[in-house]
Amino acid sequence: MTPTHPRPTRRTVLGGAALAALAVTAGAGTANATSSTTWPTEFPLPDGWLPEGITIGSKPYAYMGSRANGGIYRTDLRTGEGKVLYAGATGQVAVGLKLDRDGLLYVAGSTGVARVHDSRTGEVLTTFQLTEATGHFINDVTLLGDRAWFTDSRAAALYGVPRGRDGEVRTLPLTGDWVQTPDVNSANGIVSTPDGRGLIVVSSTPGKLYNVSLKTGYATEMALVGTDTVVNGDGLWRTGRTLYVVQNRLNLISVFDLDAKVTTATLRRTITDPRLDVPTTAAQFRDRLYLVNARFTSPQTPETTFNAVAVSL
């Protein structure tokens, strides 16, 4: 087990001058300047973008990755206007993303890697090789403590990457109740438990939720009340003891109440919207949940149109 280190600051990675520049940029026009009720609830992405991940920090900007080339697109939630922040490169993929409070952007790179970007410039700061083996699918990421934790849809393991600096990757094998289905995607979305002591992971196949111990990797299957399965479970979002599960090909978000020990998830309601077209992941800003439409059932070509939408909570 890798020792716990003090939480690094962004100054460690970017230096004081870059941090000062970020503060000026991020502070211009904060979310409190306008009411979100007038903000757009739908905004376009570039044709052929192939989005799957979205993340939003404390400022009204959404970051969305591309499966086509690993690019990063940033949209101003107040106006719906966006730009390509990072153009990507041949062979790169950007799936799940999470924005750190220090402005570092952690990206699941699918093919065994994870990258850390400067969210101000898009520059790739660090690339971590999570596994040397082929056939892995690094899918989603969440931030907890001094690490960013990544799921691998094709292996019974999580990977912990040091936040804010170089360091060793921690591999956490999944044991206990975990079921790894051969040749299909299993582990997908990931969030921390409310007490910060563990991780909640959704398995798209067979459609279960697990509470994973950070110390041992033991995965305890969570009891579902009000439904039998979260099949096609993709991105997760949690606020307090409310867990949102994006079920991509079902075009819905299931909203669960978690019990105090995170052993049971009780279905409270579902959210649907005619604009949902195979949504994959979600991020919250104020009273809205923003989702990207991956459109897996449509042609995935350079001419295919893509967008992100917001639904009210």
Side-chain angles (χ1 to χ4, degrees):
M1 179 181 295
T2 302
T4 299
H5 301 289
R7 173 71 176 88
T9 67
R10 178 164 185 166
R11 196 178 303 273
T12 307
V13 178
L14 298 181
L19 182 63
L22 173 71
V24 172
T25 302
T30 63
N32 295 326
T34 59
S35 171
S36 60
T37 59
T38 62
W39 296 0
T41 59
E42 183 175 348
F43 46 85
L45 291 167
D47 291 353
W49 189 253
L50 306 186
E52 189 164 346
I54 182 172
T55 185
I56 303 170
S58 61
K59 304 296 181 181
Y61 299 99
Y63 298 80
M64 292 151 286
S66 169
R67 288 181 290 111
N69 60 8
I72 306 294
Y73 193 82
R74 184 176 67 189
T75 293
D76 188 328
L77 301 180
R78 297 164 297 185
T79 64
E81 297 178 356
K83 67 176 183 178
V84 175
L85 187 68
Y86 172 66
T90 301
Q92 288 188 351
V93 178
V95 197
L97 309 90
K98 282 298 180 295
L99 180 63
D100 201 333
R101 61 179 176 269
D102 283 347
L104 298 178
L105 188 63
Y106 294 82
V107 178
S110 180
T111 56
V113 301
R115 296 190 304 276
V116 183
H117 292 253
D118 179 348
S119 67
R120 180 176 60 91
T121 65
E123 176 188 0
V124 177
L125 302 175
T126 310
T127 298
F128 290 94
Q129 189 70 44
L130 304 185
T131 174
E132 298 291 346
T134 60
H136 289 257
F137 180 18
I138 309 305
N139 198 330
D140 210 351
V141 55
T142 195
L143 307 179
L144 178 59
D146 64 348
R147 290 185 179 270
W149 287 96
F150 292 82
T151 57
D152 187 338
S153 293
R154 294 300 179 108
L158 304 177
Y159 306 98
V161 165
R163 291 169 67 179
R165 59 177 176 165
D166 295 334
E168 294 184 359
V169 175
R170 177 189 172 193
T171 300
L172 183 67
L174 295 174
T175 62
D177 297 335
W178 183 261
V179 176
Q180 184 67 34
T181 306
D183 302 321
V184 298
N185 290 338
S186 294
N188 203 324
I190 182 171
V191 293
S192 64
T193 57
D195 62 8
R197 296 179 180 177
L199 296 162
I200 300 172
V201 178
V202 63
S203 174
S204 299
T205 306
K208 297 180 178 181
L209 291 171
Y210 295 89
N211 183 341
V212 179
S213 168
L214 268 181
K215 291 183 178 180
T216 65
Y218 192 97
T220 302
E221 182 182 345
M222 297 169 60
L224 301 178
V225 178
T227 185
D228 295 327
T229 179
V230 285
V231 66
N232 296 130
D234 203 322
L236 298 181
W237 180 262
R238 183 189 59 77
T239 177
R241 280 165 54 181
T242 300
L243 179 69
Y244 298 88
V245 181
V246 181
Q247 292 175 260
N248 52 34
R249 292 177 186 265
L250 302 183
N251 289 321
L252 63 82
I253 304 102
S254 293
V255 186
F256 291 91
D257 291 325
L258 303 175
D259 69 325
K261 294 184 178 181
V262 199
T263 58
T264 301
T266 302
L267 183 66
R268 184 203 314 166
R269 62 190 176 101
T270 58
I271 301 172
T272 60
D273 189 289
R275 297 169 301 154
L276 296 179
D277 192 350
V278 195
T280 44
T281 52
Q284 183 179 356
F285 194 82
R286 294 189 178 178
D287 60 350
R288 291 177 174 179
L289 202 63
Y290 290 84
L291 306 101
V292 287
N293 282 320
R295 305 194 67 193
F296 289 147
T297 57
S298 300
Q300 305 283 286
T301 72
E303 292 75 34
T304 303
T305 59
F306 293 96
N307 67 351
V309 299
V311 296
S312 297
L313 296 179

